[in-house]
Amino acid sequence: MFLELMRPQLLVPRVSARTAEDVLSFAADLLLSQGLVKTSFKRALVDRECSFPTGLEIDAGQGVAIPHTDPEHVIQSAISVITTEAPVSFFRMDDPSQSVSVRLVFILALSEGRLQVDLLQETVGLIQRPELRSSLIEAATPEDMARHLQGALHQI
Amino acid sequence: MKKKVLVICGTGVATSTVIVQKLKDLFQREKMNVEIVQGKVMEVSSLSQGVDLVVSTTKIPVSLSVDVVNAVPLLTGVGQDEVFSHILSRLKV
């Protein structure tokens, strides 16, 4: 599922962002420009991240984030993978009073149905791979990111 | 009596579904017949009535009479086996 939904236009390395909201805003604009989400998506994504943050701590103080929101804001399911030039602080899913330093973000735009679960499951399978996380963060081009993701997905 | 586990996330649809699938696989491997229910954190007080264990990806803001297990390691993979053993030990009495 991840492979089918992966588009090079939605893989963006080394985004210059200072805050989690910068990252969400960048991703929402990108998805909107491709006609994949409604204009309401950005607000919904940011609001959801505020109420239920998605930062996941993996190594001490460092991790990934998997922002997502309700299917009603999505036109066509898509996934965007973004790395940031410098670490950005996300609040933690399991403890919103704590933050985690993030350079790798998987933004899930999910329409209704079974798809949502499959895609999240694959995403979880991906973020559990330390070597993939570091190669994505080091990747300089969308093509590099796609190659690393494809390689990892074939092993899942 | 059949044990019952409640799986909680922020909205009760996305990450909790991933956890439900992982627990289904776990209970199948262990040949355990456990009922799994799913819900959102806002409803945890009422949903947790009569369950044996709560497994949550998000912080539970209220105090419950039942044990709560942090499910985030099942998403990151770090400490996943410990969480699985903890869940099993809580259900195998």
Side-chain angles (χ1 to χ4, degrees), chain A residues 48 52 56-59 66 68 70 92-97 110 114 116-117 120-121 124-125 127-128 133, chain B residues 9-11 13-15 17-18 21-22 25 41-42 56-59 70 72-78 80:
Chain A
R48 171 69 72 85
F52 303 112
L56 298 171
E57 185 179 59
I58 298 180
D59 306 309
I66 50 168
H68 52 276
D70 299 318
R92 272 170 54 174
M93 188 185 279
D94 56 347
D95 186 356
S97 68
L110 305 167
R114 176 74 206 164
Q116 184 164 10
V117 180
L120 254 172
Q121 246 158 7
V124 164
I127 62 173
Q128 297 193 358
R133 294 196 306 269
Chain B
C9 72
T11 57
V13 288
T15 52
T17 310
V18 176
Q21 196 54 51
K22 286 186 178 278
D25 294 345
V41 66
M42 287 287 280
S56 178
T57 60
T58 186
K59 194 170 185 173
N70 178 357
V72 163
L74 307 187
L75 299 177
T76 61
V78 180
Q80 172 164 271

Coordinates of all heavy atoms in Angstrom, one line a residue, chain A residues 48 52 56-59 66 68 70 92-97 110 114 116-117 120-121 124-125 127-128 133, chain B residues 9-11 13-15 17-18 21-22 25 41-42 56-59 70 72-78 80:
Chain A
R48 N -5.1 18.7 15.3 CA -5.0 17.3 15.8 C -3.6 17.1 16.5 O -3.5 16.5 17.6 CB -5.1 16.3 14.7 CG -4.8 14.8 15.1 CD -5.8 14.2 16.1 NE -7.0 14.0 15.4 CZ -7.3 12.9 14.7 NH1 -6.4 11.9 14.7 NH2 -8.4 12.7 14.1
F52 N -3.6 15.8 20.1 CA -3.0 14.4 20.2 C -1.7 14.4 19.5 O -1.7 14.0 18.3 CB -4.0 13.4 19.7 CG -5.4 13.4 20.4 CD1 -6.5 13.8 19.7 CD2 -5.5 13.0 21.7 CE1 -7.7 13.9 20.3 CE2 -6.7 13.1 22.4 CZ -7.8 13.5 21.7
L56 N 7.1 10.3 18.4 CA 7.4 8.9 18.9 C 8.9 8.9 19.3 O 9.7 9.1 18.4 CB 7.1 7.8 18.0 CG 5.7 7.7 17.5 CD1 5.6 6.7 16.3 CD2 4.8 7.2 18.7
E57 N 9.2 8.8 20.6 CA 10.6 8.7 20.9 C 11.2 7.3 20.6 O 10.6 6.3 21.0 CB 10.8 9.0 22.4 CG 12.3 9.0 22.8 CD 12.4 9.3 24.3 OE1 12.0 8.6 25.1 OE2 13.1 10.4 24.6
I58 N 12.3 7.3 19.9 CA 12.9 6.0 19.6 C 14.3 5.8 20.3 O 14.4 4.9 21.1 CB 13.1 5.9 18.0 CG1 11.7 5.9 17.4 CG2 13.8 4.6 17.7 CD1 11.6 5.8 15.9
D59 N 15.2 6.7 20.0 CA 16.4 6.8 20.8 C 16.2 7.9 21.9 O 15.4 8.7 21.7 CB 17.6 7.1 19.9 CG 17.7 6.1 18.8 OD1 17.6 4.9 19.0 OD2 17.8 6.5 17.6
I66 N 4.4 11.0 13.3 CA 3.5 10.5 12.3 C 2.2 11.3 12.3 O 1.1 10.7 12.6 CB 3.3 9.0 12.4 CG1 2.9 8.6 13.9 CG2 4.5 8.2 12.1 CD1 2.3 7.2 14.0
H68 N -1.3 12.8 11.5 CA -2.5 12.4 10.6 C -3.7 13.0 11.2 O -3.8 13.6 12.3 CB -2.6 10.9 10.6 CG -2.7 10.3 12.0 ND1 -1.5 10.0 12.7 CD2 -3.7 9.9 12.8 CE1 -1.9 9.4 13.9 NE2 -3.2 9.4 14.0
D70 N -8.4 13.3 10.4 CA -9.6 12.6 9.9 C -9.7 12.5 8.4 O -9.4 13.4 7.7 CB -10.9 13.3 10.5 CG -10.9 13.3 12.0 OD1 -10.5 12.3 12.6 OD2 -11.2 14.4 12.6
R92 N 5.3 14.5 22.5 CA 5.2 13.0 22.5 C 3.8 12.5 22.6 O 3.0 12.9 23.4 CB 6.0 12.4 23.6 CG 7.5 12.2 23.2 CD 8.4 11.9 24.4 NE 7.8 10.7 25.2 CZ 8.5 10.2 26.2 NH1 9.7 10.6 26.5 NH2 8.0 9.1 26.8
M93 N 3.5 11.5 21.8 CA 2.2 10.8 21.8 C 1.8 10.3 23.1 O 0.7 10.4 23.6 CB 2.2 9.7 20.7 CG 0.8 9.1 20.5 SD 1.0 7.6 19.4 CE 1.0 8.4 17.8
D94 N 2.8 9.6 23.8 CA 2.5 9.0 25.1 C 2.6 9.9 26.2 O 2.2 9.5 27.3 CB 3.4 7.7 25.2 CG 4.9 8.1 25.1 OD1 5.2 9.2 24.7 OD2 5.7 7.2 25.5
D95 N 3.2 11.1 26.0 CA 3.2 12.1 27.1 C 3.4 13.5 26.5 O 4.5 13.9 26.3 CB 4.4 11.7 28.1 CG 4.4 12.7 29.3 OD1 3.5 13.6 29.3 OD2 5.2 12.5 30.2
P96 N 2.3 14.1 26.3 CA 2.3 15.4 25.6 C 3.0 16.5 26.4 O 3.2 17.6 25.8 CB 0.8 15.8 25.4 CG 0.1 14.5 25.5 CD 0.9 13.6 26.5
S97 N 3.4 16.2 27.6 CA 4.1 17.3 28.4 C 5.6 17.2 28.0 O 6.4 18.0 28.4 CB 3.9 17.1 29.9 OG 4.5 15.9 30.3
L110 N -5.1 10.0 5.0 CA -5.8 8.8 4.8 C -7.2 8.9 4.6 O -7.9 9.6 5.4 CB -5.5 7.9 6.0 CG -4.1 7.7 6.5 CD1 -4.0 7.1 7.8 CD2 -3.4 6.8 5.5
R114 N -10.1 0.4 5.1 CA -9.0 -0.6 5.5 C -7.6 0.0 5.2 O -6.6 -0.3 5.8 CB -9.3 -1.9 4.7 CG -8.3 -3.0 4.8 CD -8.4 -3.7 6.1 NE -7.1 -4.2 6.5 CZ -6.7 -4.7 7.7 NH1 -7.5 -4.6 8.6 NH2 -5.5 -5.2 7.9
Q116 N -6.3 2.8 5.6 CA -5.8 3.5 6.7 C -4.9 2.7 7.6 O -3.8 3.0 8.0 CB -6.9 4.1 7.5 CG -6.5 5.0 8.6 CD -7.7 5.8 9.1 OE1 -8.9 5.6 8.8 NE2 -7.5 6.8 10.0
V117 N -5.5 1.5 8.0 CA -4.8 0.6 8.9 C -3.6 0.0 8.2 O -2.5 -0.1 8.8 CB -5.7 -0.5 9.3 CG1 -5.0 -1.5 10.2 CG2 -7.0 0.1 10.0
L120 N -0.8 2.7 7.9 CA -0.2 2.9 9.3 C 0.7 1.8 9.7 O 1.8 2.0 10.2 CB -1.3 3.1 10.3 CG -1.5 4.5 10.8 CD1 -2.8 4.6 11.6 CD2 -0.3 5.1 11.5
Q121 N 0.2 0.5 9.4 CA 1.0 -0.6 9.8 C 2.3 -0.7 9.1 O 3.4 -0.9 9.7 CB 0.2 -1.9 9.5 CG -0.2 -2.6 10.7 CD -1.3 -3.6 10.5 OE1 -1.8 -3.8 9.4 NE2 -1.8 -4.1 11.6
V124 N 4.6 2.0 10.5 CA 5.2 1.6 11.8 C 6.3 0.6 11.5 O 7.4 0.6 12.1 CB 4.1 1.0 12.7 CG1 4.6 0.2 13.8 CG2 3.2 2.1 13.2
G125 N 6.1 -0.3 10.5 CA 7.2 -1.2 10.2 C 8.4 -0.5 9.7 O 9.5 -0.9 10.0
I127 N 9.3 2.8 10.4 CA 10.0 3.6 11.4 C 10.8 2.8 12.4 O 11.7 3.3 13.1 CB 9.1 4.6 12.2 CG1 8.0 3.8 13.0 CG2 8.4 5.5 11.3 CD1 7.2 4.7 13.9
Q128 N 10.5 1.5 12.5 CA 11.2 0.6 13.4 C 12.6 0.2 12.9 O 13.3 -0.5 13.6 CB 10.4 -0.7 13.7 CG 9.1 -0.4 14.4 CD 8.4 -1.6 15.0 OE1 8.9 -2.7 14.8 NE2 7.3 -1.3 15.6
R133 N 15.9 4.9 9.0 CA 15.7 6.2 9.5 C 17.0 7.1 9.2 O 16.9 8.2 8.8 CB 15.5 6.2 11.1 CG 14.2 5.5 11.4 CD 13.8 5.8 12.9 NE 14.9 5.5 13.9 CZ 15.0 4.3 14.5 NH1 14.1 3.3 14.2 NH2 15.9 4.1 15.3
Chain B
C9 N -6.5 5.1 21.7 CA -5.6 6.2 21.2 C -6.4 7.5 21.2 O -7.6 7.5 21.6 CB -5.1 5.8 19.8 SG -6.3 5.9 18.5
G10 N -5.8 8.6 20.7 CA -6.5 9.9 20.7 C -7.9 9.8 20.2 O -8.8 10.4 20.8
T11 N -8.1 9.2 19.0 CA -9.4 9.3 18.4 C -10.0 7.9 18.2 O -11.1 7.8 17.7 CB -9.2 9.9 16.9 OG1 -8.3 9.1 16.2 CG2 -8.7 11.3 17.0
V13 N -9.3 5.5 16.2 CA -9.4 4.9 14.9 C -8.0 4.5 14.3 O -7.8 3.5 13.7 CB -10.1 5.7 13.9 CG1 -11.6 5.7 14.2 CG2 -9.6 7.2 13.8
A14 N -7.0 5.4 14.5 CA -5.8 5.2 13.7 C -4.7 4.3 14.4 O -4.6 3.1 14.1 CB -5.2 6.6 13.3
T15 N -4.0 4.9 15.3 CA -2.9 4.1 15.9 C -3.4 3.0 16.8 O -2.8 1.9 16.9 CB -2.0 5.0 16.8 OG1 -2.7 5.7 17.7 CG2 -1.1 5.9 16.0
T17 N -5.8 1.1 16.0 CA -6.0 -0.1 15.1 C -4.8 -0.9 14.9 O -4.8 -2.1 14.8 CB -6.7 0.4 13.8 OG1 -7.7 1.3 14.1 CG2 -7.2 -0.8 13.0
V18 N -3.7 -0.1 14.8 CA -2.4 -0.8 14.6 C -2.1 -1.7 15.8 O -1.6 -2.8 15.7 CB -1.2 0.2 14.3 CG1 0.1 -0.5 14.2 CG2 -1.5 1.0 13.1
Q21 N -4.2 -4.9 16.0 CA -3.7 -5.9 15.1 C -2.5 -6.6 15.7 O -2.4 -7.9 15.7 CB -3.3 -5.3 13.7 CG -3.1 -6.3 12.6 CD -4.4 -7.2 12.4 OE1 -5.5 -6.7 12.3 NE2 -4.2 -8.5 12.5
K22 N -1.6 -5.8 16.4 CA -0.5 -6.5 17.0 C -0.9 -7.4 18.2 O -0.3 -8.4 18.4 CB 0.5 -5.4 17.5 CG 1.3 -4.8 16.3 CD 2.3 -3.8 16.8 CE 3.1 -3.2 15.7 NZ 4.2 -4.1 15.2
D25 N -2.4 -10.6 16.8 CA -1.3 -11.6 16.4 C -0.6 -12.2 17.7 O -0.4 -13.4 17.7 CB -0.2 -10.8 15.6 CG -0.7 -10.3 14.3 OD1 -1.8 -10.8 13.9 OD2 -0.1 -9.4 13.7
V41 N -9.6 8.2 23.8 CA -9.2 8.5 25.1 C -10.3 9.3 25.9 O -10.4 9.1 27.1 CB -7.8 9.3 25.1 CG1 -7.9 10.6 24.5 CG2 -7.2 9.4 26.5
M42 N -11.1 10.1 25.3 CA -12.1 10.8 25.9 C -13.1 9.9 26.6 O -13.8 10.3 27.5 CB -12.9 11.7 24.9 CG -12.1 12.9 24.4 SD -12.0 14.2 25.7 CE -13.6 14.9 25.5
S56 N -2.7 1.7 25.9 CA -2.9 3.0 25.2 C -1.7 3.7 24.6 O -0.6 3.6 25.1 CB -3.5 4.0 26.3 OG -3.7 5.3 25.7
T57 N -1.9 4.3 23.4 CA -0.8 5.0 22.8 C -0.7 6.4 23.3 O 0.3 7.1 23.0 CB -0.9 5.1 21.2 OG1 -2.2 5.8 20.9 CG2 -1.0 3.7 20.6
T58 N -1.7 6.9 24.0 CA -1.8 8.2 24.5 C -1.9 8.3 26.0 O -2.3 7.3 26.6 CB -2.9 9.0 23.8 OG1 -2.9 10.4 24.2 CG2 -4.3 8.5 24.2
K59 N -1.5 9.4 26.6 CA -1.6 9.5 28.1 C -3.0 9.5 28.5 O -3.8 10.2 28.0 CB -0.8 10.7 28.5 CG -0.6 10.7 30.0 CD 0.4 11.9 30.3 CE 0.7 11.8 31.8 NZ 1.8 12.7 32.2
N70 N 1.6 1.5 28.4 CA 1.9 2.4 27.4 C 2.3 1.6 26.1 O 3.2 0.7 26.1 CB 3.2 3.2 27.8 CG 3.7 4.1 26.7 OD1 3.1 4.2 25.6 ND2 4.7 4.9 27.0
V72 N 3.2 2.8 23.1 CA 4.1 3.4 22.1 C 5.3 2.5 21.7 O 5.6 2.4 20.5 CB 4.6 4.8 22.6 CG1 5.8 5.3 21.8 CG2 3.4 5.8 22.4
P73 N 5.8 1.7 22.6 CA 6.9 0.7 22.2 C 6.5 -0.2 21.1 O 7.3 -0.7 20.3 CB 7.2 0.0 23.5 CG 6.9 0.9 24.6 CD 5.7 1.7 24.1
L74 N 5.2 -0.5 21.0 CA 4.7 -1.4 19.9 C 4.7 -0.6 18.6 O 4.6 -1.2 17.5 CB 3.3 -1.9 20.2 CG 3.1 -2.6 21.6 CD1 1.7 -3.2 21.6 CD2 4.1 -3.6 21.8
L75 N 4.7 0.7 18.6 CA 4.8 1.5 17.4 C 6.3 1.7 17.0 O 6.7 1.6 15.8 CB 4.2 2.9 17.6 CG 2.7 2.9 17.9 CD1 2.2 4.3 18.1 CD2 1.9 2.2 16.8
T76 N 7.1 2.0 18.0 CA 8.6 2.2 17.7 C 9.4 1.0 17.6 O 10.5 1.0 17.0 CB 9.2 3.1 18.7 OG1 9.2 2.4 20.0 CG2 8.5 4.5 18.9
G77 N 8.9 -0.1 18.2 CA 9.6 -1.4 18.2 C 10.6 -1.4 19.4 O 11.1 -2.5 19.7
V78 N 10.9 -0.3 20.0 CA 11.9 -0.2 21.1 C 11.2 -0.6 22.4 O 10.3 0.1 22.8 CB 12.5 1.2 21.2 CG1 13.5 1.2 22.3 CG2 13.2 1.6 19.9
Q80 N 9.5 -3.4 22.6 CA 8.2 -4.1 22.3 C 8.1 -5.4 23.0 O 7.0 -5.7 23.5 CB 8.2 -4.3 20.7 CG 7.1 -5.2 20.2 CD 6.9 -5.1 18.7 OE1 6.2 -4.2 18.3 NE2 7.6 -5.9 18.0

